[in-house]
Amino acid sequence: MNKKIGAKKPERSELGRVRDRLTFLYLEHAKLNRQDSAILVMDSRGTVCVPAAVVSVLMLGPGVDVTHRAMELIGTSGMGVIWVGEHGVRQYAYGRPLNHASTLLEAQARLVSNSKTRVAVARKMYQMRFKDEDVSDLSMQELRGKEGARVRRVYREQSKQSKVDWSRREYNPDDFNAGTPINKALTAAHQALYGLSYSVISALGASAGLGFVHTGHDLSFVYDFADLYKAKYSIPIAFNMTAKVGDDKDIASKTRLAMRDAFKDGNILSKMVVDLKYLLGEADLEEDVDSLSLWDDKLGLQEMGVQYHEIEEDESV
């Protein structure tokens, strides 16, 4: 008789909901293994256990080795995992979602495939940023111009408040350290926000690639979604951290830590879950619905696991 090793696979009802989890954990130069229901993280500083069901997404940087057992636990616990480059500048791969239902994905595909509904969702996104103005009659070009002016104003205001010089946003993804301190901080802050946005989109079963404003990239919707929160989170945190540490060689890691603290204090995961459902028109969707049906062009959804040829034979008698 074979003896099972480690904890049993958890039921979906036992897993932490997306909105209740910690935001993200960035790791580099570490070895990841499994100990019961926790991820065992080992590096030069020691060993810690990370409960798998309470983290939204793991961002794995350079020098990370992951065992098969660790990946098995990550998959069964619904923890998002993203493999990124140094300082989180690039994304190379990602894992499976927590939600197995396709409701949001189907809604997203319908909305993005029709020009009228696509524009309507894009306007929803812009309306969330311009709460005191009516943008329902603005074209996409007008909305882009309005958003561009808003972002430039946010940069100017943060520069003035933090007393950090600002000229323009620029960075070289192939040479992170060539950027100015504020641009390095912005890159680190935005990447943390992209990682969290991806984890929510993926965990709820939507597509990271089906964007409404951005298009043509496998992370188009991530960029759409993250843009909703930059003015409140990543931009001010980047300016404040630059004012605090200047040209510190660890400005990226310190900025990520500041982002994580802000995410926790601001309860952003709960807001992201609500916002995503609102944008895709599924505000009442239950996150843990897990069903599989058969599609029929005339009868609608049909029950799976039924021997339909036997039913047809009986009806023909």
Side-chain angles (χ1 to χ4, degrees):
M1 182 176 180
N2 294 329
K3 182 180 179 181
K4 293 185 178 180
I5 300 174
K8 71 179 182 69
K9 180 178 178 180
E11 298 293 331
R12 285 178 50 76
S13 59
E14 298 174 337
L15 298 175
R17 293 163 67 91
V18 179
R19 67 182 68 202
D20 299 327
R21 296 187 175 210
L22 303 178
T23 51
F24 74 92
L25 182 62
Y26 175 83
L27 301 171
E28 61 181 29
H29 304 294
K31 294 184 181 297
L32 274 60
N33 208 328
R34 173 178 181 171
Q35 182 172 310
D36 296 327
S37 296
I39 299 297
L40 200 64
V41 182
M42 299 165 282
D43 66 9
S44 59
R45 296 168 295 180
T47 302
V48 296
C49 289
V50 179
V54 301
V55 176
S56 179
V57 60
L58 273 180
M59 299 177 68
L60 304 182
V64 173
D65 293 330
V66 190
T67 67
H68 184 278
R69 292 283 291 158
M71 287 306 304
E72 177 188 35
L73 178 60
I74 288 170
T76 57
S77 64
M79 181 192 298
V81 57
I82 308 175
W83 283 265
V84 297
E86 190 173 11
H87 306 295
V89 170
R90 295 180 182 276
Q91 175 182 306
Y92 298 115
Y94 51 84
R96 65 177 295 180
L98 170 63
N99 192 1
H100 297 171
S102 62
T103 308
L104 276 181
L105 178 59
E106 292 175 14
Q108 183 182 12
R110 286 195 301 270
L111 292 167
V112 81
S113 299
N114 179 284
S115 295
K116 289 184 178 179
T117 56
R118 183 172 185 171
V119 171
V121 175
R123 285 185 178 131
K124 272 187 175 181
M125 293 181 177
Y126 286 115
Q127 189 66 72
M128 291 169 69
R129 284 169 269 190
F130 298 99
K131 298 183 183 299
D132 299 325
E133 302 178 43
D134 182 7
V135 301
S136 59
D137 293 328
L138 297 183
S139 67
M140 290 299 293
Q141 182 178 3
E142 291 170 327
L143 289 168
R144 287 194 302 270
K146 193 173 184 65
E147 171 65 359
R150 182 187 77 97
V151 172
R152 287 191 295 272
R153 183 173 66 253
V154 170
Y155 279 131
R156 288 195 302 269
E157 290 173 351
Q158 290 300 322
S159 173
K160 183 178 180 181
Q161 291 177 18
S162 64
K163 296 182 172 54
V164 172
D165 291 337
W166 173 254
S167 57
R168 64 183 182 276
R169 177 76 176 111
E170 59 181 0
Y171 78 101
N172 181 355
D174 297 318
D175 188 1
F176 175 83
N177 290 315
T180 61
I182 179 56
N183 273 294
K184 287 192 284 189
L186 283 167
T187 296
H190 289 337
Q191 288 296 335
L193 185 57
Y194 294 149
L196 188 63
S197 299
Y198 160 75
S199 73
V200 172
I201 291 168
S202 177
L204 294 184
S207 169
L210 296 181
F212 294 87
V213 178
H214 296 84
T215 189
H217 192 280
D218 63 345
L219 295 177
S220 293
F221 191 49
V222 173
Y223 299 140
D224 281 359
F225 197 57
D227 280 351
L228 298 174
Y229 311 101
K230 285 182 177 179
K232 182 175 180 179
Y233 290 96
S234 55
I235 295 176
I237 287 172
F239 274 92
N240 290 336
M241 186 54 62
T242 304
K244 183 176 180 180
V245 304
D247 197 11
D248 191 305
K249 63 182 179 64
D250 294 325
I251 191 170
S253 62
K254 291 179 178 179
T255 301
R256 277 193 299 269
L257 289 174
M259 287 290 287
R260 189 178 64 187
D261 291 343
F263 289 160
K264 179 181 177 182
D265 295 341
N267 202 22
I268 189 176
L269 272 177
S270 293
K271 180 167 177 52
M272 281 183 162
V273 169
V274 172
D275 288 347
L276 182 61
K277 292 181 186 180
Y278 162 72
L279 290 171
L280 299 183
E282 298 289 344
D284 298 325
L285 176 70
E286 289 293 327
E287 294 166 31
D288 52 2
V289 171
D290 188 4
S291 63
L292 184 60
S293 304
L294 301 175
W295 179 82
D296 189 293
D297 61 333
K298 296 178 180 178
L299 301 177
L301 298 181
Q302 299 295 296
E303 184 179 355
M304 184 182 171
V306 176
Q307 297 296 327
Y308 285 99
H309 71 281
E310 296 178 359
I311 296 176
E312 292 171 357
E313 290 174 357
D314 291 342
E315 290 176 347
S316 65
V317 173

